[in-house]
Amino acid sequence: MATAREPEEDEEEEVKLIKTWSSPYALRAVWALKLKGIPYESIDEDLTHKSDILLHHNPVHKKVPVLLHHGRSICESLVIIEYIEETWSQNPPRLLPQDPLQRAETRFWAKFVDDKALPAIWQAFSKEGKEQEQGLSETAEHLRLLEAELKKKKKRLFFGGEEIGIVDIALGWMVNLVPLFERILGVKILDEEHHPALLKWRQRMSDVDVVKENWPPRDKLVAKWTAIRERCVGKAAANE
């Protein structure tokens, strides 16, 4: 992990981001860079025909996003956010708290999103029958925990406090993909009765300029995720 330091004069001109137009993980890196005011070159990737630059800079996972800084690669979205924070720590907002305990708690919840919340909602979206029901049940439990965490401080605007932090960025998919999943599946995932704090948080997130100015086109997202759903369900049916 890089340590905080003063950037060189031309340092910001040497930032590149390998991403796709629709990846919620890549969008995390886009938000972090733009929140920090870091200019960068965007390299759009076609994951059906992975480029040599992606395979060279991320030979382990062969996935986006990949941040390139002075030609060196940083992979995995949460790692990228921490790198951005430590490298440009002088640029507001602060994406992770300075206090060691608060920093540890923040990392815990960001990891919870990726290790628990995302796999559960993916199962709910990509499966049918009992597997889908299990995914929805686990998603409901994870949302209950996130709701409780957000309510701990009644005046907290974001998980990061008064400003967006790494947990908010990690949960950003909830702002646009959950309504889309609800539409495709015909189920309600977030509701006012059980998730009032999360719904208010979602509205605040959607009102942040950096967030709302960088959404992928909704029509293209609907088409893409509808096709993914049909493909997943079709594969499951073919294997029965």
Side-chain angles (χ1 to χ4, degrees), residues 59-75:
V60 176
H61 297 300
K62 304 178 178 66
K63 296 179 180 180
V64 297
V66 180
L67 184 73
L68 304 180
H69 191 202
H70 292 307
R72 298 177 180 178
S73 54
I74 303 95
C75 305

Side-chain angles (χ1 to χ4, degrees), residues 25-80:
Y25 297 100
L27 193 54
R28 292 171 172 179
V30 170
W31 287 342
L33 287 166
K34 288 184 175 290
L35 283 166
K36 287 284 193 179
I38 309 302
Y40 67 96
E41 176 187 342
S42 181
I43 303 174
D44 289 321
E45 182 70 24
D46 178 4
L47 294 182
T48 61
H49 301 89
K50 296 179 181 180
S51 67
D52 290 340
I53 189 172
L54 175 63
L55 298 177
H56 173 73
H57 287 289
N58 191 358
V60 176
H61 297 300
K62 304 178 178 66
K63 296 179 180 180
V64 297
V66 180
L67 184 73
L68 304 180
H69 191 202
H70 292 307
R72 298 177 180 178
S73 54
I74 303 95
C75 305
E76 299 295 301
S77 59
L78 295 182
V79 176
I80 288 172

Side-chain angles (χ1 to χ4, degrees), residues 2-239:
T3 55
R5 56 180 173 77
E6 291 294 325
E8 299 173 8
E9 185 176 350
D10 64 343
E11 187 175 53
E12 294 179 346
E13 298 177 2
E14 300 185 30
V15 179
K16 300 179 181 181
L17 180 65
I18 305 175
K19 66 179 186 66
T20 64
W21 69 270
S22 61
S23 168
Y25 297 100
L27 193 54
R28 292 171 172 179
V30 170
W31 287 342
L33 287 166
K34 288 184 175 290
L35 283 166
K36 287 284 193 179
I38 309 302
Y40 67 96
E41 176 187 342
S42 181
I43 303 174
D44 289 321
E45 182 70 24
D46 178 4
L47 294 182
T48 61
H49 301 89
K50 296 179 181 180
S51 67
D52 290 340
I53 189 172
L54 175 63
L55 298 177
H56 173 73
H57 287 289
N58 191 358
V60 176
H61 297 300
K62 304 178 178 66
K63 296 179 180 180
V64 297
V66 180
L67 184 73
L68 304 180
H69 191 202
H70 292 307
R72 298 177 180 178
S73 54
I74 303 95
C75 305
E76 299 295 301
S77 59
L78 295 182
V79 176
I80 288 172
I81 295 170
E82 290 213 31
Y83 179 85
I84 290 170
E85 173 59 37
E86 295 197 8
T87 304
W88 292 281
S89 59
Q90 75 280 2
N91 291 25
R94 183 170 290 280
L95 302 179
L96 284 96
Q98 288 182 295
D99 178 78
L101 178 59
Q102 292 178 358
R103 201 176 183 91
E105 290 173 345
T106 296
R107 286 186 174 125
F108 170 86
W109 285 108
K111 186 172 173 58
F112 172 84
V113 171
D114 277 9
D115 291 353
K116 296 292 186 179
L118 271 171
I121 201 166
W122 169 247
Q123 180 173 331
F125 180 77
S126 62
K127 303 295 184 181
E128 286 191 314
K130 291 184 178 179
E131 287 183 295
Q132 184 183 59
E133 291 175 7
Q134 180 185 6
L136 287 170
S137 176
E138 291 179 2
T139 295
E141 174 60 16
H142 299 149
L143 292 177
R144 184 189 67 80
L145 294 170
L146 289 166
E147 176 78 11
E149 175 63 17
L150 193 55
K151 283 180 175 178
K152 280 184 179 180
K153 295 182 180 179
K154 295 182 179 180
K155 294 183 179 180
R156 181 188 290 181
L157 298 178
F158 299 98
F159 283 92
E162 296 299 310
E163 296 182 302
I164 290 178
I166 189 173
V167 179
D168 302 285
I169 295 173
L171 269 175
W173 52 269
M174 192 180 293
V175 181
N176 71 328
L177 288 187
V178 166
L180 189 150
F181 288 0
E182 290 176 332
R183 170 179 169 178
I184 294 173
L185 296 177
V187 300
K188 199 67 177 172
I189 296 172
L190 280 174
D191 62 70
E192 187 64 43
E193 179 183 357
H194 299 98
H195 317 105
L198 282 172
L199 286 172
K200 290 177 182 177
W201 166 85
R202 187 169 74 177
Q203 185 59 54
R204 293 189 197 102
M205 280 288 290
S206 66
D207 289 339
V208 174
D209 289 342
V210 162
V211 173
K212 65 184 178 183
E213 290 170 3
N214 291 282
W215 287 129
R218 181 168 177 77
D219 290 348
K220 288 181 66 177
L221 276 182
V222 171
K224 176 184 175 69
W225 285 101
T226 299
I228 290 173
R229 164 74 178 165
E230 292 172 351
R231 186 166 65 248
C232 290
V233 171
K235 284 183 179 179
N239 291 331

